[in-house]
Amino acid sequence: MTDDSKFPDPTYKNTVLAPLFEGVKTHYAAHMMAINQAHLVMLVETGILSRADGGQIAHALDAIDTETDVPALVYTGEHEDFFFYVEAELKRRLGDLGGALHTARSRNDMDHTVFKMALRDRAEALLAQITSLTEALIAKARDEADILIVAYTHGQPAQPTTFGHYLGAMIEVLNRDAQRLSAAIDTLGPCPMGAAAITTSGFPIDRARMADLLGFEGPQVNAYGCIASVDYVTGLYSAIKLVFLHLGRVVQDLAFWSSFEVGQLYVPNALVQISSIMPQKRNPVPIEHMRHLASVTCGRCDMVVNTMHNTPFTDMNDSEGEVQHAGYAAFESGGRVLELMAAFLPACSINSDRVRRNTDAASITITELADTLVRDEGLTFRQAHDIAAHVARDLDGKPLSQGFGAFQTAFRAATARTPAMDEQGFRTAVSPETFVARRDRIGGPAPAALDAALAQYSADLDALRARASQRTARVPTAATARATAFAQLLET
């Protein structure tokens, strides 16, 4: 018995074909029309199609584009997918000539081309959000260059630094993440069109012209790789994941710093919520939203990469259609994190009174006391470290700034002499301002060192933006060239 049904199995239609059709309507219809126009122009320019035939197809394509309300289309199963819907419309208007547009191409090369076109738009937008956040953080770091904070290691108070210095560390990572993302976007530059199914075509196609008309940097060289290689997907989502994995670590610090017990980060009222039952609580819930959205974004990126694990090195649905659509949610949730953080961090401030109390109580400047003893008292660092350790242990609840007596006792016990340092010298040595000012080496928190670092971060940011501008400039230039060439066909 022959199955000659025109329509697909209803379950297959509802679970696979209809969702894919909706995805193409939402994400790729405009890109497919651009490919249709560019391919037609190339076919005529190479002589594969006559100008007269090309003109008729151009008029039909233009009419389909003008008359079709793509969002209103409902999948009926009459055509397998959106591609065949458009081809059927061409054949309805032109007869057999409508099928000529598909000469020397395949849905294989078209699919990977539209996937790249959709990804490059989203990825460039995400990169722009990252660079905007970085720019805001550089400005905030300059404003907070001399605002002291307690820096933590292993969850414990460690040394004083400045909020600007902390933000500088965050900026460095963001710039590196942006560079990784920019490099991943570069892999979207080669155009798959012309690969056809696997091996290019027996027709004299001009792949470079196709790349130019679609805003790519040039053809992707290996035709098999055009339809089999998905590193442009896995590399991009891996780079995106790292952005939010690393931002999530900063968000954890923000949550810790804003806790009642630490209290060194003040979140303004516009960014807190009050408990419905406990009126004394100031809940900095944007921090929680940034944390969970960053984690959701990482998970979405993992989903895309893991879906392609152990798939054959060929054209497969595992790397197409639905996984591509699902991956776009990572751009949405990630974009929300970046937008929220760009508003949140510049609005926050440091509670300097709490920082001062915690600094004194935790003796976090005592490293500089040891350094000073090496410089001014002629001790080895290990001797100085042992003296400083005794001071920290013997404070008996007093802040370090009041520990001169404990210091004298520890110094005499270790050296059998009286220190040249007096009480004022001791207070100067253990002040957080002294600690920061003396750390003026490359990468330190002292003003000159931090200012030089921020200047470098700004230069790195400019380079990232310049590279992005080079890439994005190709797209409108290509659109203009494509529209001009297509318009000339319409005049035929």
Side-chain angles (χ1 to χ4, degrees):
M1 180 177 178
T2 302
D3 181 4
D4 57 357
S5 173
K6 181 179 179 181
F7 295 94
D9 174 86
T11 301
Y12 180 51
K13 168 191 167 185
N14 294 332
T15 59
V16 177
L17 297 179
L20 285 172
F21 188 83
E22 289 301 313
V24 173
K25 281 170 47 182
T26 303
H27 302 295
Y28 307 129
H31 298 316
M32 289 184 70
M33 186 55 67
I35 289 174
N36 286 336
Q37 291 181 357
H39 190 66
L40 178 62
V41 168
M42 185 273 293
L43 290 177
V44 172
E45 289 179 350
T46 56
I48 297 170
L49 279 183
S50 70
R51 188 167 188 84
D53 286 348
Q56 291 187 64
I57 295 172
H59 281 284
L61 278 176
D62 188 57
I64 292 169
D65 189 32
T66 302
E67 297 167 11
T68 304
D69 183 0
V70 173
L73 291 176
V74 175
Y75 185 71
T76 64
E78 182 179 359
H79 310 292
E80 181 180 324
D81 58 17
F82 187 81
F83 165 82
F84 280 116
Y85 167 82
V86 173
E87 184 168 277
E89 278 293 300
L90 283 172
K91 293 173 74 173
R92 184 177 68 81
R93 295 165 189 262
L94 300 174
D96 288 342
L97 180 60
L101 179 62
H102 202 53
T103 305
R105 73 178 188 182
S106 165
R107 281 187 298 172
N108 292 3
D109 57 352
M110 291 179 68
D111 279 347
H112 285 281
T113 302
V114 297
F115 297 154
K116 283 190 169 185
M117 293 170 78
L119 283 172
R120 73 185 180 190
D121 294 342
R122 289 168 171 81
E124 293 287 11
L126 191 72
L127 180 61
Q129 283 188 285
I130 294 169
T131 56
S132 292
L133 171 60
T134 306
E135 184 175 49
L137 293 178
I138 290 172
K140 180 71 169 176
R142 287 198 167 103
D143 291 342
E144 307 285 334
D146 60 351
I147 302 300
L148 294 166
I149 63 168
V150 176
Y152 290 78
T153 62
H154 304 284
Q156 302 300 316
Q159 290 184 337
T161 188
T162 67
F163 194 26
H165 188 235
Y166 177 90
L167 292 173
M170 179 183 176
I171 291 163
E172 279 193 353
V173 176
L174 261 181
N175 270 346
R176 288 194 294 267
D177 282 339
Q179 288 161 2
R180 280 183 281 265
L181 179 56
S182 183
I185 295 173
D186 283 339
T187 67
L188 303 176
C191 181
M193 285 305 298
I198 301 174
T199 58
T200 74
S201 170
F203 293 93
I205 57 175
D206 187 343
R207 296 194 63 205
R209 178 62 166 155
M210 280 297 292
D212 287 342
L213 290 172
L214 294 173
F216 289 88
E217 67 181 17
Q220 184 170 333
V221 174
N222 188 281
Y224 194 106
C226 289
I227 60 92
S229 303
V230 295
D231 59 292
Y232 72 91
V233 182
T234 55
L236 181 66
Y237 281 99
S238 296
I240 293 169
K241 175 187 174 179
L242 290 180
V243 175
F244 297 98
L245 186 152
H246 297 148
L247 284 178
R249 301 184 70 209
V250 174
V251 173
Q252 281 291 87
D253 278 1
L254 301 180
F256 179 62
W257 288 7
S258 62
S259 67
F260 178 81
E261 291 78 6
V262 177
Q264 76 173 5
L265 183 73
Y266 175 77
V267 181
N269 290 335
L271 291 165
V272 299
Q273 291 178 212
I274 305 302
S275 166
S276 66
I277 190 173
M278 297 167 284
Q280 86 285 0
K281 289 192 71 187
R282 299 179 78 256
N283 299 323
V285 293
I287 296 175
E288 298 168 49
H289 287 290
M290 286 188 286
R291 181 169 58 202
H292 93 256
L293 284 170
S295 295
V296 164
T297 303
C298 289
R300 286 169 170 168
C301 291
D302 279 341
M303 176 273 300
V304 174
V305 174
N306 291 342
T307 299
M308 300 184 193
H309 180 240
N310 279 348
T311 56
F313 186 58
T314 185
D315 183 66
M316 294 288 290
N317 277 304
D318 305 71
S319 62
E320 299 177 2
E322 293 206 60
V323 70
Q324 297 280 350
H325 306 165
Y328 301 151
F331 293 94
E332 185 275 333
S333 55
R336 290 166 64 191
V337 175
L338 295 168
E339 184 178 356
L340 183 53
M341 186 165 283
F344 183 86
L345 266 176
C348 291
S349 59
I350 296 299
N351 184 338
S352 295
D353 290 341
R354 183 63 69 88
V355 168
R356 182 72 61 177
R357 287 198 297 272
N358 290 347
T359 295
D360 237 2
S363 302
I364 63 172
T365 59
I366 206 160
T367 302
E368 180 54 36
L369 173 62
D371 289 351
T372 301
L373 294 180
V374 173
R375 285 192 303 267
D376 297 349
E377 298 285 353
L379 305 184
T380 67
F381 180 76
R382 190 51 55 204
Q383 283 179 301
H385 184 278
D386 289 344
I387 292 170
H390 278 90
V391 173
R393 286 195 297 269
D394 294 344
L395 285 172
D396 195 25
K398 293 186 295 186
L400 179 59
S401 59
Q402 298 176 23
F404 182 65
F407 161 68
Q408 285 183 308
T409 299
F411 188 92
R412 290 192 186 103
T415 66
R417 64 181 175 86
T418 300
M421 181 187 295
D422 60 16
E423 185 167 2
Q424 183 55 49
F426 175 85
R427 287 178 177 271
T428 298
V430 300
S431 77
E433 290 82 4
T434 298
F435 190 101
V436 167
R438 285 180 173 166
R439 276 141 183 86
D440 59 355
R441 310 296 176 259
I442 293 174
L450 181 57
D451 188 59
L454 294 175
Q456 181 60 58
Y457 305 152
S458 292
D460 293 342
L461 190 60
D462 289 343
L464 279 163
R465 284 176 161 164
R467 177 59 184 140
S469 294
Q470 290 175 351
R471 287 190 302 257
T472 56
R474 291 197 299 261
V475 177
T477 300
T480 300
R482 185 174 65 248
T484 299
F486 188 73
Q488 290 172 351
L489 287 179
L490 290 174
E491 294 172 0
T492 302

